[in-house]
Amino acid sequence: MPADDTTRGRLWGGRFAGSPDEAFDRLNDSLPVDRRLWPHDLRGSRAHARMLGAQGIIPAEDAASILAGLDQVGQELGSGEFVFQPGDEDIHTAVERRLTEIAGDAGRRVHTARSRNDQVITDVLLYVRETLEAQEGLLAELMSALLDQAESQIDSILPGYTHLQRAQPVRLAHHLLAYVAMFDRDRTRLRIAWAASRDECPLGSGALSGVGFPVDREAVATELGFERPSANSMDAVGSRDALADYLHFAAQLGVHLSRLGAEFVWWSSEECGFVEVADSFASGSSMLPQKKNPDAAELARAKAARITADAAGLGGVLAGLPLAYNKDLQEDKHFLFDAIDTLDLLLPAVTGMVATATFRPDRMNDATASGFLAATDLADHLVRSGTPFRRAHEIVGALVSACVAAGHGLEEASADQLAAAGLDPDDLPGLTARDSVELKQTRGGTARRPVVDALDAARTRLGTWA
Ligand code: ARG
């Protein structure tokens, strides 16, 4: 049998005598992972074929046949009629094999001046770009859900915690806006990854050294929406920086979603009761009839492990890899797609959970009505009348200790207890949670004015996305 592109059913079969071992095939084939790249593979092949025809590298009729053939391949893949064959080791191979069945020798010309090495990274960059554009929208929806809740809860006050010990009262809106700030930074990282994914077009780099045909790299780059053709062929086929940038964005967003999830788990506990997750975002227990579990929040908490592992996984594959393309790089998509799919699952669910949650100002009031949340404000009050802060801290500390011993909060301190600690019972500031938050008037603080300002600023900023 002549050595052609169907030898052993492989594009690269000419050099080989026997068939690949099945165990090797199972290891080597990436089709199950990369078949989702078919629309991007077709886009890349269309741009490449058009350019080959325009440059006279292949006959114009062949370019036309390739384009028509690619349309048919796209129609078959889109409708599910496409029949994958055992030799289709990845999506690039499958598309070229089918194109050749349809277009004959014209199909055999599509890979002129191209390698799967420049092809695969081009496809993946297109995929990353498209993903980021969609996920930016999902992130914006989450942020607006948080802003809506913050706005409707502008005067709800709950305990703020450090070490998960009640520390000082804060507006719920302020607490939610902290997450909006985190997600806003995630968006900055998203934009960095997006820019990386559309900066340099790898096509025209060939296997590693460039191609020996007068290709028009600018035209291909422009058609595919890249800023420019890549500057170094070895870097273009051997690097995965844009994927690492995506995973860096995804991992940090995953961590933020995890912390928000943890917050909802804790707030929705019977012990806190500050929020009730909607039935549609909770599940029951198969044994305990009374249970309503905040599963969406718990899964958000857990998924960060997976996404940060994906980011570390890609780093592990890349580190120590000599230039240029190595088959190791095929593993990049495993980590990339896992992180993408995880965020695609998580973002709408977390948004829905936030949007449908019912906050419980009554429970927040109960939690801030008594205790020691105003201790720092009392010390600050002494400082305002001249007591050095460290001394004021000691005085209030002694009072807290007396109140703890007597089994009540600061709000029930008697005139004797106050006097014993060195405080004037007739000169006390308001010690309610509302008094406390209203003291924090400066930018970034939790008083009503800076929180309303922060809300407005966040809304304006979100409105400028797109
Ligand atoms: N399936 C391969 C990947 O995902 C495509 C590139 C193969 N290149 C090669 N020289 N074997 O990386």
Side-chain angles (χ1 to χ4, degrees):
M1 183 163 139
D4 68 12
D5 53 16
T6 57
T7 306
R8 302 167 79 217
R10 304 287 154 157
L11 296 179
W12 38 257
R15 186 215 183 284
F16 289 80
S19 289
D21 192 276
E22 260 183 58
F24 170 68
D25 265 354
R26 280 196 301 277
L27 170 66
N28 192 47
D29 289 1
S30 58
L31 185 63
V33 173
D34 60 31
R35 60 187 286 174
R36 66 167 77 191
L37 290 173
W38 70 262
H40 315 84
D41 198 66
L42 294 180
R43 273 176 69 194
S45 289
R46 282 197 188 95
H48 182 65
R50 235 189 295 277
M51 179 279 293
L52 290 178
Q55 294 295 102
I57 298 170
I58 64 172
E61 320 77 80
D62 281 358
S65 306
I66 292 171
L67 292 171
L70 289 171
D71 285 348
Q72 186 180 329
V73 174
Q75 185 271 321
E76 290 177 6
L77 281 160
S79 66
E81 285 162 46
F82 191 99
V83 183
F84 287 97
Q85 302 293 344
D88 294 345
E89 61 181 54
D90 55 26
I91 190 61
H92 326 290
T93 315
V95 167
E96 188 179 332
R97 190 261 311 151
R98 182 69 189 125
L99 174 67
T100 302
E101 285 167 8
I102 296 166
D105 271 348
R108 292 187 178 87
R109 294 208 158 95
V110 70
H111 213 52
T112 311
R114 187 177 72 173
S115 156
R116 270 186 298 162
N117 298 351
D118 55 355
Q119 183 180 5
V120 65
I121 181 61
T122 303
D123 294 359
V124 172
L125 292 177
L126 294 174
Y127 188 87
V128 168
R129 188 201 303 168
E130 185 179 286
T131 299
L132 285 166
E133 286 165 4
Q135 291 188 340
E136 183 171 36
L138 297 178
L139 188 57
E141 282 166 26
L142 171 57
M143 291 168 75
S144 8
L146 285 164
L147 290 175
D148 289 346
Q149 287 283 16
E151 201 161 76
S152 71
Q153 297 290 327
I154 190 68
D155 287 318
S156 299
I157 298 170
L158 78 168
Y161 297 83
T162 64
H163 314 266
L164 216 52
Q165 308 287 319
R166 287 182 185 177
Q168 289 186 303
V170 291
R171 287 198 138 69
L172 174 62
H174 192 57
H175 202 135
L176 296 176
L177 279 164
Y179 285 94
V180 172
M182 293 177 225
F183 295 136
D184 196 52
R185 290 194 296 275
D186 290 321
R187 196 258 185 164
T188 302
R189 278 180 284 273
L190 180 153
R191 282 273 154 170
I192 290 169
W194 180 80
S197 73
R198 59 184 300 285
D199 190 29
E200 293 198 333
C201 180
L203 277 180
S205 300
L208 77 163
S209 67
V211 295
F213 294 91
V215 290
D216 183 351
R217 299 196 61 205
E218 306 284 342
V220 173
T222 303
E223 175 167 343
L224 296 176
F226 288 94
E227 291 287 331
R228 61 188 76 81
S230 52
N232 182 294
S233 59
M234 297 184 80
D235 175 46
V237 297
S239 294
R240 294 293 183 269
D241 289 28
L243 284 69
D245 287 340
Y246 176 84
L247 287 165
H248 179 49
F249 147 74
Q252 195 57 44
L253 172 55
V255 166
H256 293 152
L257 290 167
S258 173
R259 297 184 72 173
L260 181 62
E263 212 85 75
F264 269 71
V265 172
W266 156 241
W267 283 350
S268 65
S269 68
E270 252 175 89
E271 284 64 24
C272 282
F274 302 153
V275 74
E276 188 178 338
V277 169
D279 283 6
S280 49
F281 284 89
S283 79
S285 156
S286 61
M287 179 176 168
L288 314 171
Q290 83 282 15
K291 291 298 292 296
K292 176 168 153 186
N293 301 322
D295 302 54
E298 294 171 275
L299 289 167
R301 184 171 62 183
K303 295 281 189 195
R306 192 162 160 171
I307 307 178
T308 52
D310 287 328
L314 180 69
V317 166
L318 294 173
L321 209 56
L323 290 176
Y325 180 85
N326 299 269
K327 200 55 173 274
D328 310 49
L329 291 174
Q330 179 163 283
E331 290 295 295
D332 62 355
K333 287 171 284 300
H334 165 82
F335 300 114
L336 176 72
F337 295 160
D338 188 68
I340 287 174
D341 293 347
T342 305
L343 280 184
D344 277 345
L345 271 179
L346 258 185
L347 283 167
V350 174
T351 302
M353 176 191 76
V354 169
T356 56
T358 306
F359 284 98
R360 298 279 309 272
D362 54 323
R363 296 292 305 254
M364 298 183 218
N365 282 339
D366 291 349
T368 54
S370 68
F372 302 97
L373 290 168
T376 312
D377 302 319
L378 191 53
D380 287 351
H381 168 77
L382 295 176
V383 168
R384 279 184 212 100
S385 46
T387 311
F389 177 75
R390 190 53 56 213
R391 176 80 197 113
H393 188 285
E394 248 168 64
I395 291 169
V396 178
L399 176 63
V400 168
S401 166
C403 292
V404 170
H408 57 71
L410 217 45
E411 68 290 344
E412 283 177 42
S414 66
D416 286 351
Q417 284 171 325
L418 289 163
L423 280 143
D424 177 357
D426 298 324
D427 176 30
L428 287 180
L431 293 177
T432 67
R434 199 154 303 278
D435 294 323
S436 176
V437 293
E438 284 316 311
L439 289 166
K440 318 300 165 18
Q441 288 286 343
T442 49
R443 178 186 161 85
T446 197
R448 197 174 207 282
R449 194 179 44 85
V451 172
V452 167
D453 288 350
L455 240 171
D456 290 348
R459 276 229 194 269
T460 307
R461 207 168 137 70
L462 192 58
T464 64
W465 287 27

